[in-house]
Amino acid sequence: MSQNDILLEVEDLRTVFDTSEGAVRAVDGVDVTVRRGECLGVVGESGSGKSVTFSSVMGLVRAPGRIAGGRIRFDGRDLIGLGPRDMRAIRGRDISMTMQDALTALNPALTVGEQLAEMLNAHDEDLPARGGARRRAIREKSVEMLRLVGIPSPDSRLGQYPHEFSGGMRQRIMIAIALAPGPKLLIADEPTTALDVTIQAQVLELISDIRARLGMSVVLITHDLGVVAEHCDRVMVMYAGQVVEEGATVDVIANPRHPYTRGLLASIPRLSMRGQPIRPIEGQVPNLVGLPPQCRFYSRCPERMDSCLQTVAMRPAGPGRRARCIAIAEEAVA
Amino acid sequence: MTSLTNPLVQVENLSKVYEGRRSLANRLTGVEPFSVRAVNDVSFHVDRGEILGLIGESGCGKSTLGRAVLRLHEPTAGRVLFDGTDVTALSAGALKDMRRRMQIVFQDPYASLNPRSTVADIVGLPLRLHGLAASRSEMRDQVVGILEKVGLNAAHLDRYPHQFSGGQRQRIGIARALISHPEFIVCDEPVSALDVSIQAQIIQLLLELKDEMGLTYLFISHDISVIGYLSNRVAVMYLGEIVEMGPASDVLARPRHPYTQSLMSAVPDVDAPGHHQRVRLTGDLPSPLDPPPGCKFHTRCPLATDACKHAAPVPEEVSPGHRVACHRLHENLSVLETASRAEGC
Amino acid sequence: MTVADIDAGPVAVASGAGQTIFRRNLARFAANRLAMASVAVVFLFVLLAIFAPWIAPHDPNETDLFRRLQPPAWQAGGEWSYLLGCDALGRDILSRIIYGSRISIFIGAAVIFVATTVGIAAGLAAGYFRGWVDVTISRLVDILLSFPYLIFAIGLMAMMGPGLVNIILALAYKEWVIPCRVVRGETLATRELEYVEAARALGASSAHIMAREILPNILSPVIVVSTIRIAHVIILEASLSFLGLGVQPPTASWGSMVADGRAFILGAWWVSTFPGLAILLLVLAINVASQGLRDAFDPRFQE
């Protein structure tokens, strides 16, 4: 893989929230690599830091949160230390993000057409400079975007407000707005969690479809391993602020190397498992304040050993795979 | 069949209509106020000791149905027989006594617990309301007993809900529902708001408690994997009506209604991604304010014909206990085959 | 912001154990210095009112025609034993302000107590039962709200005649509308929450649900509104007294003291100014304190 293949590279990202109870290390030494044209799945439960990681990439972490360390390189540029002006230019034009709840993420007081135009006005450099030509171009492009995301009779729906659309349609509109400037990377944060399964399938297929057509990269943040299995090339599993396992989706699901990934897979109820007990992961996510240097999954891990009570680093676990578990190294030695 | 002997819950032609208030403006203009048939003429039974899974998408009326069965929402028409007693005809006093025997576990573990009450007060409330504890210490013992059953303990008694995680709160909600030793529990999406690993813990807990305490569940969920995993029988709901119902193994292995078929094909599968065919339902759920005539699914159904637009299908039994409401049932079509044929063209 | 807000979930479990929402809010309130200073001022006035006979240097009703319109101590002709000077009848203004605080604070507190009690009961009933109960109560509220407050009170006082109890009643007749509207709105929202439905599912009575499940959860905004309204009531009482419809002479009341000094405002500014300042200071302190209460207790004002 040449350096040029990599679109986004995050190294040792640390994001901290200062609270009355102490500093919460919500993201603690996270590395992310997103290649051009690929779809990376990011899986984790609440508190895993999966959303905070990508808010940090977008420069959207607000006080009391702060980025305490790390490097974020996007398309050959360092994003940390970039002024708010430059960051705003990158946000939207090069990286777009869609939120879980389209109803609150869209402005209820503006029509869909106005919101699309705003995005295009700010970020699209191919438009004519000014005047009627520019307005016409924006309108054409807006209609084209709504058509792209599968909204019927887009011309007449440009003048409607977000509340006049159904949940699935709103999610499509948010995707249309995110895609309007032609970003290189789309970060989709739980795009289908609020939607019904039949609608969820439509939206996910739409994202896959557009990715193939526009050749952009997609980061799909989700808690649903099924979604990742069907739509992502690679997957990154996060737990309590750290990445615990990453690799090609097929490999990770067929042969999970980290006990948490195994537990997560075993926790999913399946039609084929009727009558057999599911094996849930015991206990709950540890408090992120004042964690001792040890494997963060220690308290819940069925395979824990005394040697887990030290800092555990990510280690290679097969071709293109890494995992944060001490047992992997010992396997190799044995 | 057990259903012939004595089901614990028998629901007959239950309907729930929400109507807007008839205002002066309505009367003057002659415009009818809005009315929503959230549940439309639904009948089913739940046998003692079984889990009936109720699947449907948001807005299909499954939660309203669960609440109407318990008379938390007053049904507009129909009857609910609980252990032979008509719940819909009970007086307020008799209904209160009946509530001890039928309970509900809610979806949202954050909204379902009073934030100003301690765990001891929340879980002990049913005992107080029904006079089930003779003294304070007896009440405390019973509360601690049920807390231990759901995986909590006496140290949690004086804490407030906000001091617990979502999974723990759901355990408190379950303890509250079970402390009066009910026989029937409506589980209204009890795991939908929880993380995957916690979801598995709660499902496991509900299954264990069912065996231990001899419970019967009406388990409502939008998640077909959860329903398929734990139900004995399933009912599939679409726009206020049950379109398919039968033994879980039968319905999920051989779904006959096009809606059930497409619902199952839409679920992403961890084990065999992309290996199954997918039916893409076009469009969204129609508004319940203005449901389509005829078969309510015809606007999205890949198999719909003209007949489907005019007459509502009558449920038919396709195998013992397995009933389906579809006009094209006898043509033995599958939306999957239709979809692949269309792709082939 | 606490840990719990970051990523809703289990991280919060181990933190803040043993802390009720009330105590957390109280701590937040205590951290607000300006609000705490205002509370101190209010508390000082309450102490003045309670211990007036021991604190006041003179009898507030003792007239002395030789001290007629005597200026404050620091002006020519003033005396240190009559710090704020004397009024037209030679009564000590400081002593009258101290005794007057009894009237202002007592009426303010009594009116708000009566109004809040009635308002909570009416608001709970309207919001919980809805239907005709709600329509009846809400229409009554609308009607009362359409009268200008002061004119309404003047009319009532004219009908009932002066007297402490009548002032309280005249003000409370309309004041309950304010907490009632707050309670009704909060009740409407709260009754739809799942824990209320849970209580119903367990077989709880309407009285239990209103008193135990709904009321404790809507009390914070009601308390906040009521403290703000105390300040309004104090001003209204002063206005009534200013118009001569309040507490009858010779009982000292800030409003009537301001009225008494009107005629001499050019020559003897102190007669009206000091009781006016007392009203200003107390009302300001109550407003700032209730502002702080609102910030600490009303979830809508929390980040």
Side-chain angles (χ1 to χ4, degrees), chain C residues 181-203:
Chain C
R181 290 223 302 183
V182 174
V183 170
R184 175 180 172 272
E186 297 283 328
T187 306
L188 278 175
T190 310
R191 78 188 294 279
E192 300 303 330
L193 293 180
E194 279 189 347
Y195 63 80
V196 174
E197 197 166 16
R200 236 190 349 245
L202 296 168

Side-chain angles (χ1 to χ4, degrees), chain C residues 137-160:
Chain C
I137 293 175
S138 295
R139 287 300 157 271
L140 188 61
V141 165
D142 290 344
I143 291 167
L144 285 174
L145 275 177
S146 62
F147 284 107
Y149 205 150
L150 192 60
I151 293 174
F152 184 78
I154 291 170
L156 276 176
M157 288 306 290
M159 268 158 52
M160 299 189 298

Side-chain angles (χ1 to χ4, degrees), chain C residues 84-292:
Chain C
L84 301 181
C86 295
D87 66 7
L89 296 174
R91 297 176 293 198
D92 178 35
I93 289 178
L94 178 62
S95 301
R96 287 184 69 74
I97 286 177
I98 291 172
Y99 272 88
S101 69
R102 291 187 141 187
I103 297 295
S104 292
I105 290 171
F106 177 72
I107 288 179
V111 168
I112 290 303
F113 178 78
V114 174
T116 306
T117 311
V118 175
I120 285 177
L124 271 176
Y128 184 78
F129 293 113
R130 300 190 292 188
W132 66 267
V133 181
D134 187 21
V135 171
T136 312
I137 293 175
S138 295
R139 287 300 157 271
L140 188 61
V141 165
D142 290 344
I143 291 167
L144 285 174
L145 275 177
S146 62
F147 284 107
Y149 205 150
L150 192 60
I151 293 174
F152 184 78
I154 291 170
L156 276 176
M157 288 306 290
M159 268 158 52
M160 299 189 298
L164 202 59
V165 176
N166 285 356
I167 299 178
I168 293 170
L169 286 180
L171 294 176
Y173 264 125
K174 197 172 152 165
E175 184 60 35
W176 67 272
V177 165
I178 308 286
C180 176
R181 290 223 302 183
V182 174
V183 170
R184 175 180 172 272
E186 297 283 328
T187 306
L188 278 175
T190 310
R191 78 188 294 279
E192 300 303 330
L193 293 180
E194 279 189 347
Y195 63 80
V196 174
E197 197 166 16
R200 236 190 349 245
L202 296 168
S205 64
S206 298
H208 170 96
I209 291 174
M210 284 191 275
R212 300 296 297 274
E213 308 290 337
I214 296 180
L215 185 57
N217 287 292
I218 62 170
L219 216 46
S220 287
V222 179
I223 291 172
V224 169
V225 168
S226 294
T227 37
I228 298 175
R229 294 298 301 183
I230 287 184
H232 286 256
V233 171
I234 287 174
I235 292 179
L236 279 168
E237 180 276 323
S239 310
L240 281 179
S241 297
F242 180 88
L243 294 171
L245 291 163
V247 186
Q248 291 307 294
T251 313
S253 142
W254 294 348
S256 55
M257 288 171 73
V258 175
D260 290 346
R262 248 180 331 173
F264 319 103
I265 193 74
L266 291 177
W269 55 269
W270 52 89
V271 182
S272 286
T273 307
F274 290 118
L277 281 177
I279 296 173
L280 178 75
L281 189 61
L282 180 59
V283 166
L284 190 65
I286 292 174
N287 278 337
V288 173
S290 56
Q291 198 84 224

Side-chain angles (χ1 to χ4, degrees), chain B residues 170-230:
Chain B
Q170 203 53 293
R171 288 171 193 269
I172 296 169
I174 292 170
R176 170 177 62 189
L178 294 187
I179 197 167
S180 61
H181 293 277
E183 294 144 66
F184 175 62
I185 310 279
V186 173
C187 300
D188 185 12
E189 302 251 19
V191 297
S192 308
L194 305 175
D195 275 321
V196 182
S197 71
I198 307 298
Q199 187 173 335
Q201 291 177 2
I202 299 295
I203 290 177
Q204 201 58 37
L205 175 70
L206 285 169
L207 289 176
E208 283 166 19
L209 289 168
K210 175 184 165 290
D211 290 340
E212 202 181 319
M213 303 180 70
L215 300 165
T216 301
Y217 290 155
L218 173 62
F219 198 102
I220 302 170
S221 178
H222 68 276
D223 189 334
I224 209 160
S225 317
V226 171
I227 290 282
Y229 172 71
L230 51 66

Side-chain angles (χ1 to χ4, degrees), chain C residues 13-38:
Chain C
V13 178
S15 63
Q19 206 192 20
T20 64
I21 300 171
F22 180 77
R23 258 191 260 161
R24 192 182 64 199
N25 289 344
L26 204 63
R28 212 192 312 243
F29 181 64
N32 181 346
R33 284 203 192 162
L34 188 61
M36 285 312 281
S38 306

Side-chain angles (χ1 to χ4, degrees), chain B residues 21 67 72-73 96 99-100 102-104 106-117 121-122 125-126 128-130 159-160 162-166 168 176-177 188 195, chain C residues 8-10 12-22 24-25 130-131 134-135 193-205 208 212-214 216-217 220 297:
Chain B
R21 202 186 286 174
R67 283 160 164 79
L72 278 174
H73 291 184
K96 186 194 158 186
R99 296 223 177 279
R100 198 175 59 73
M102 38 188 225
Q103 269 305 314
I104 178 166
F106 293 93
Q107 170 177 6
D108 186 345
Y110 289 88
S112 59
L113 306 178
N114 186 339
R116 309 270 167 167
S117 296
D121 287 339
I122 290 170
L125 181 63
R128 222 155 11 117
L129 292 173
H130 297 286
R159 299 213 190 146
Y160 290 84
H162 73 269
Q163 295 169 290
F164 294 90
S165 66
Q168 286 174 317
R176 170 177 62 189
D188 185 12
D195 275 321
Chain C
V13 178
S15 63
Q19 206 192 20
T20 64
I21 300 171
F22 180 77
R24 192 182 64 199
N25 289 344
R130 300 190 292 188
D134 187 21
V135 171
L193 293 180
E194 279 189 347
Y195 63 80
V196 174
E197 197 166 16
R200 236 190 349 245
L202 296 168
S205 64
H208 170 96
R212 300 296 297 274
E213 308 290 337
I214 296 180
N217 287 292
S220 287
F297 280 84

Side-chain angles (χ1 to χ4, degrees), chain A residues 44-46 166 168-169 196-202 205-206 223-227 229-231 253 260 264-284 300, chain B residues 57-58 165 168 195-201 203-204 222 224-232 248-249 252 259 262-264 266-274 276 278 280-284 300:
Chain A
E45 302 181 273
S46 41
S166 68
M169 286 294 167
D196 286 318
V197 263
T198 52
I199 311 293
Q200 171 179 328
Q202 293 174 9
E205 264 159 38
L206 170 75
H223 64 277
D224 189 337
L225 274 168
V227 167
E230 298 217 343
H231 296 276
I253 286 174
Y260 175 65
L264 215 50
L265 281 163
S267 293
I268 305 173
R270 292 172 169 82
L271 301 176
S272 56
M273 277 170 43
R274 291 173 46 78
Q276 305 163 30
I278 28 176
R279 285 159 293 136
I281 308 171
E282 298 300 326
Q284 42 198 327
R300 303 176 76 185
Chain B
E57 298 183 278
S58 52
S165 66
Q168 286 174 317
D195 275 321
V196 182
S197 71
I198 307 298
Q199 187 173 335
Q201 291 177 2
I203 290 177
Q204 201 58 37
H222 68 276
I224 209 160
S225 317
V226 171
I227 290 282
Y229 172 71
L230 51 66
S231 313
N232 303 104
S249 47
L252 300 178
Y259 178 61
S262 37
L263 204 57
M264 291 197 60
V267 181
D269 190 348
V270 199
D271 303 308
H276 62 276
R278 170 151 301 166
R280 198 192 283 228
L281 283 186
T282 47
D284 295 310
R300 298 172 77 195

